[in-house]
């Protein structure tokens, strides 16, 4: 894929970019909005409008692999900014945002305000939009860690593909150096038969990993070996995958912990 970095004024900058490049909209697979990543909190995900979009599962996986936990919240519920432009009516590019907002604290405080009858909304962090909001608040180590997480996310996006079976019947695994010793990796050994039934050109590698409840990287290595032995073909993941109803279960992310 190609990647475009936009450094523009909030909202109006994205509107201007899309209005001047409408011919690109149908070719843009995803948009990622990044903000407030220098705060002293873990990364959190704000999902795209369509929660079954693959980018949500990709991002949750990348965040969890990087920091050991991942939380996802509904569209526009954490930081409502340029994602509402890219993922807006008539545009429909699945757009997520990745921030370090303490959303659980905000939800708790907002609930307290409602109980108290107050018409108030908790800010993303105490210094937000005040004279105290300055570069002294930025944790640059967390900023760099966010860049690493985005790199991981891009790697998942780039490496995912749809495997298409070329073999018939169960594969003689040891002949192709594909047998996994159950004494070393019992989980992968047990899932090999299910894996062979899953490469019919209907699921991506990531979706297969979800189905088998195994780590994406592990499944990717195994399926790549099938490809190296000429047993499958690789099919590019088309942009239409997010139009289809592909459900990415949150339990997959939890079970990787």
């Amino acid at each position: 894929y190609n990647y475009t970095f936009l450094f523009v004024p909030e909202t109006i900058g994205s509107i201007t970019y899309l209005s001047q490049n409408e011919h690109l909209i149908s070719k843009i697979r995803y948009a990622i909005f990044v903000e407030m990543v220098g705060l002293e909190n873990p990364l959190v995900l704000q999902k795209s409008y369509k929660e079954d979009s693959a980018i949500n599962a990709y991002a949750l996986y990348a965040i969890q692999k990087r920091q050991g936990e991942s939380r996802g919240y509904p569209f526009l519920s954490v930081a409502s900014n340029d994602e509402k432009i890219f993922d807006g009516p008539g545009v429909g590019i699945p757009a997520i945002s990745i921030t370090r907002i303490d959303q659980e604290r905000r939800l708790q405080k907002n609930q307290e305000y409602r109980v108290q009858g107050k018409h108030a909304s908790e800010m993303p962090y105490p210094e937000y939009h005040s004279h105290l909001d300055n570069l002294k608040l930025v944790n640059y180590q967390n900023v760099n860690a966010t860049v690493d997480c985005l790199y991981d996310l891009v790697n998942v996006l780039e490496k995912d593909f749809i495997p298409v079976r070329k073999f018939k019947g169960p594969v003689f695994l040891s002949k192709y150096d594909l047998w996994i010793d159950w004494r070393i990796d019992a989980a992968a050994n047990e899932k090999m038969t299910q894996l062979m039934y899953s490469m019919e050109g209907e699921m991506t590698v990531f979706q297969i990993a979800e189905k088998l409840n195994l780590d994406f990287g592990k499944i990717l290595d195994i399926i790549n070996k099938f490809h190296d032995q000429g047993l499958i073909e690789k099919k590019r993941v088309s942009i239409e995958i997010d139009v289809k109803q592909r459900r990415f279960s949150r339990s997959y992310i939890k079970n990787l912990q």
Side-chain angles (χ1 to χ4, degrees), residues 73-84:
Y73 298 91
F75 185 61
L76 301 185
S77 66
V78 182
S80 177
N81 289 294
D82 292 55
E83 64 278 1
K84 66 177 176 285

Side-chain angles (χ1 to χ4, degrees), residues 163-181:
V164 182
R165 175 187 52 78
K166 293 170 64 178
F167 58 88
K168 293 182 179 180
V171 174
F172 186 1
L173 296 175
S174 58
K175 175 182 178 180
Y176 294 98
D177 195 28
L178 291 169
W179 183 72
I180 297 174
D181 192 332

